PDB file of all heavy atoms in Angstrom:
ATOM      1  N   CYS A 129      -5.559  11.658  -7.128  1.00  0.00           N
ATOM      2  CA  CYS A 129      -5.983  10.872  -8.324  1.00  0.00           C
ATOM      3  C   CYS A 129      -5.829   9.429  -8.105  1.00  0.00           C
ATOM      4  O   CYS A 129      -6.597   8.570  -8.626  1.00  0.00           O
ATOM      5  CB  CYS A 129      -5.155  11.376  -9.521  1.00  0.00           C
ATOM      6  SG  CYS A 129      -5.680  10.553 -11.073  1.00  0.00           S
ATOM      7  N   SER A 130      -4.792   9.074  -7.290  1.00  0.00           N
ATOM      8  CA  SER A 130      -4.607   7.722  -6.996  1.00  0.00           C
ATOM      9  C   SER A 130      -5.598   7.042  -6.117  1.00  0.00           C
ATOM     10  O   SER A 130      -5.585   5.802  -5.896  1.00  0.00           O
ATOM     11  CB  SER A 130      -3.166   7.547  -6.371  1.00  0.00           C
ATOM     12  OG  SER A 130      -2.226   8.196  -7.111  1.00  0.00           O
ATOM     13  N   LEU A 131      -6.475   7.883  -5.533  1.00  0.00           N
ATOM     14  CA  LEU A 131      -7.555   7.262  -4.706  1.00  0.00           C
ATOM     15  C   LEU A 131      -8.865   7.047  -5.553  1.00  0.00           C
ATOM     16  O   LEU A 131      -9.870   6.632  -5.083  1.00  0.00           O
ATOM     17  CB  LEU A 131      -7.926   8.187  -3.511  1.00  0.00           C
ATOM     18  CG  LEU A 131      -6.830   8.365  -2.527  1.00  0.00           C
ATOM     19  CD1 LEU A 131      -7.378   9.260  -1.390  1.00  0.00           C
ATOM     20  CD2 LEU A 131      -6.435   7.073  -1.910  1.00  0.00           C
ATOM     21  N   SER A 132      -8.735   7.421  -6.886  1.00  0.00           N
ATOM     22  CA  SER A 132     -10.022   7.454  -7.651  1.00  0.00           C
ATOM     23  C   SER A 132     -10.503   5.988  -7.998  1.00  0.00           C
ATOM     24  O   SER A 132     -11.717   5.867  -8.204  1.00  0.00           O
ATOM     25  CB  SER A 132      -9.765   8.226  -8.923  1.00  0.00           C
ATOM     26  OG  SER A 132      -9.395   9.578  -8.627  1.00  0.00           O
ATOM     27  N   LYS A 133      -9.578   5.086  -8.212  1.00  0.00           N
ATOM     28  CA  LYS A 133     -10.034   3.815  -8.744  1.00  0.00           C
ATOM     29  C   LYS A 133      -9.129   2.710  -8.338  1.00  0.00           C
ATOM     30  O   LYS A 133      -7.907   2.850  -8.365  1.00  0.00           O
ATOM     31  CB  LYS A 133     -10.050   3.982 -10.317  1.00  0.00           C
ATOM     32  CG  LYS A 133     -10.759   2.777 -10.990  1.00  0.00           C
ATOM     33  CD  LYS A 133     -10.792   3.005 -12.580  1.00  0.00           C
ATOM     34  CE  LYS A 133     -11.333   1.879 -13.310  1.00  0.00           C
ATOM     35  NZ  LYS A 133     -12.721   1.708 -12.981  1.00  0.00           N
ATOM     36  N   ASP A 134      -9.687   1.628  -7.904  1.00  0.00           N
ATOM     37  CA  ASP A 134      -8.914   0.413  -7.627  1.00  0.00           C
ATOM     38  C   ASP A 134      -8.261  -0.140  -8.890  1.00  0.00           C
ATOM     39  O   ASP A 134      -8.896   0.038  -9.988  1.00  0.00           O
ATOM     40  CB  ASP A 134      -9.727  -0.681  -6.973  1.00  0.00           C
ATOM     41  CG  ASP A 134     -10.185  -0.294  -5.579  1.00  0.00           C
ATOM     42  OD1 ASP A 134      -9.446   0.491  -4.927  1.00  0.00           O
ATOM     43  OD2 ASP A 134     -11.257  -0.732  -5.182  1.00  0.00           O
ATOM     44  N   PRO A 135      -7.127  -0.815  -8.949  1.00  0.00           N
ATOM     45  CA  PRO A 135      -6.309  -1.099  -7.795  1.00  0.00           C
ATOM     46  C   PRO A 135      -5.355  -0.031  -7.284  1.00  0.00           C
ATOM     47  O   PRO A 135      -4.656  -0.193  -6.289  1.00  0.00           O
ATOM     48  CB  PRO A 135      -5.548  -2.332  -8.183  1.00  0.00           C
ATOM     49  CG  PRO A 135      -5.341  -2.119  -9.622  1.00  0.00           C
ATOM     50  CD  PRO A 135      -6.607  -1.404 -10.129  1.00  0.00           C
ATOM     51  N   ALA A 136      -5.318   1.063  -7.992  1.00  0.00           N
ATOM     52  CA  ALA A 136      -4.438   2.188  -7.733  1.00  0.00           C
ATOM     53  C   ALA A 136      -4.737   2.730  -6.357  1.00  0.00           C
ATOM     54  O   ALA A 136      -3.752   3.086  -5.583  1.00  0.00           O
ATOM     55  CB  ALA A 136      -4.513   3.239  -8.712  1.00  0.00           C
ATOM     56  N   ALA A 137      -6.016   2.842  -5.987  1.00  0.00           N
ATOM     57  CA  ALA A 137      -6.336   3.368  -4.599  1.00  0.00           C
ATOM     58  C   ALA A 137      -5.761   2.517  -3.556  1.00  0.00           C
ATOM     59  O   ALA A 137      -5.166   2.946  -2.572  1.00  0.00           O
ATOM     60  CB  ALA A 137      -7.795   3.496  -4.508  1.00  0.00           C
ATOM     61  N   GLU A 138      -5.980   1.090  -3.719  1.00  0.00           N
ATOM     62  CA  GLU A 138      -5.371   0.250  -2.759  1.00  0.00           C
ATOM     63  C   GLU A 138      -3.893   0.266  -2.679  1.00  0.00           C
ATOM     64  O   GLU A 138      -3.312   0.262  -1.486  1.00  0.00           O
ATOM     65  CB  GLU A 138      -5.849  -1.195  -3.172  1.00  0.00           C
ATOM     66  CG  GLU A 138      -5.407  -2.282  -2.167  1.00  0.00           C
ATOM     67  CD  GLU A 138      -5.868  -3.698  -2.682  1.00  0.00           C
ATOM     68  OE1 GLU A 138      -5.350  -4.126  -3.663  1.00  0.00           O
ATOM     69  OE2 GLU A 138      -6.714  -4.251  -2.014  1.00  0.00           O
ATOM     70  N   ALA A 139      -3.298   0.382  -3.780  1.00  0.00           N
ATOM     71  CA  ALA A 139      -1.770   0.443  -3.869  1.00  0.00           C
ATOM     72  C   ALA A 139      -1.264   1.729  -3.187  1.00  0.00           C
ATOM     73  O   ALA A 139      -0.310   1.696  -2.396  1.00  0.00           O
ATOM     74  CB  ALA A 139      -1.299   0.384  -5.299  1.00  0.00           C
ATOM     75  N   THR A 140      -1.973   2.860  -3.443  1.00  0.00           N
ATOM     76  CA  THR A 140      -1.526   4.141  -2.840  1.00  0.00           C
ATOM     77  C   THR A 140      -1.660   4.106  -1.380  1.00  0.00           C
ATOM     78  O   THR A 140      -0.716   4.563  -0.603  1.00  0.00           O
ATOM     79  CB  THR A 140      -2.351   5.265  -3.451  1.00  0.00           C
ATOM     80  OG1 THR A 140      -2.137   5.282  -4.890  1.00  0.00           O
ATOM     81  CG2 THR A 140      -1.897   6.600  -2.819  1.00  0.00           C
TER      82      THR A 140
END
Side-chain angles (χ1 to χ4, degrees):
C129 184
S130 309
L131 293 182
S132 299
K133 189 175 178 65
D134 290 332
E138 183 181 66
T140 301

